[in-house]
Amino acid sequence: MALNILVLGVGNVLLADEGAGVRAVEQLQHRYVFPPQVELIDGGTMGLDLLGYLDDKSHLFILDAILSTEPPGSVVIKKLLDPPAYFRQKISPHQIGISELLAVAAMQDCLPPSITLFGIVPLDLSTGIEMSSEVNSAVAGVVSAVVKELGLLGVEVASAIR
């Protein structure tokens, strides 16, 4: 299977740190130029409406705020061997949409063979569009981690800033 990578940022940007995954995708789009085999999507809270984006993908990178015992602003990167099982636990306010998305994708046999979660532990989930400084710093770390992971797959990403 040729490389066909989806970088999917999910979350609600109206709930402060909950939108960290979407903000990370925005930074990737602003700071880098990607080759055609890499698609970046602001998935927001679309849930099952994202199913069509998974077709024929070799890799799925999910960028999301996650609940964890790690301190706020921590970055948690996990290769998901059984993604629907992983998302059965409640890990974020919108996670039901991601859980359903991955479960339906598995049933329709369109789940990408490689799925990596780039999670950020939130500090503030109140209503508001500003992220906490801890999570804002963590978003930069996730952006770097995604670019590094793409490089390990042999994908060249160019800087958009000249």
Side-chain angles (χ1 to χ4, degrees):
M1 175 182 255
L3 285 178
N4 194 0
I5 302 164
L6 176 62
V7 179
L8 176 63
V10 292
N12 187 339
V13 296
L14 299 177
L15 296 176
D17 294 344
E18 219 280 321
V22 171
R23 300 297 187 211
V25 164
E26 289 172 351
Q27 284 194 24
L28 285 163
Q29 291 170 326
H30 177 73
R31 294 174 47 191
Y32 297 97
V33 176
F34 294 89
Q37 72 263 33
V38 178
E39 183 177 15
L40 287 90
I41 299 289
D42 166 359
T45 56
M46 293 172 56
L48 287 177
D49 291 335
L50 294 166
L51 191 59
Y53 292 102
L54 301 181
D55 284 339
D56 301 322
K57 296 297 186 269
S58 61
H59 294 76
L60 171 62
F61 294 173
I62 301 171
L63 287 51
D64 196 3
I66 63 166
L67 299 179
S68 168
T69 58
E70 298 294 321
S74 296
V75 174
V76 177
I77 301 172
K78 291 187 175 191
K79 302 261 185 208
L80 303 181
L81 301 177
D82 185 5
Y86 184 82
F87 283 98
R88 277 186 209 120
Q89 309 169 41
K90 185 166 180 58
I91 60 169
S92 80
H94 64 269
Q95 126 342 291
I96 289 172
I98 290 293
S99 175
E100 293 170 344
L101 172 69
L102 297 177
V104 171
M107 286 188 290
Q108 293 187 353
D109 202 25
C110 67
L111 198 62
S114 175
I115 300 176
T116 304
L117 172 67
F118 296 82
I120 299 172
V121 181
L123 174 65
D124 180 10
L125 296 175
S126 65
T127 303
I129 58 172
E130 297 294 325
M131 292 188 301
S132 66
S133 60
E134 292 88 344
V135 169
N136 199 34
S137 296
V139 166
V142 164
V143 167
S144 296
V146 168
V147 170
K148 181 180 177 184
E149 188 70 20
L150 289 170
L152 292 173
L153 293 171
V155 175
E156 291 186 31
V157 177
S159 174
I161 301 168
R162 298 182 204 280

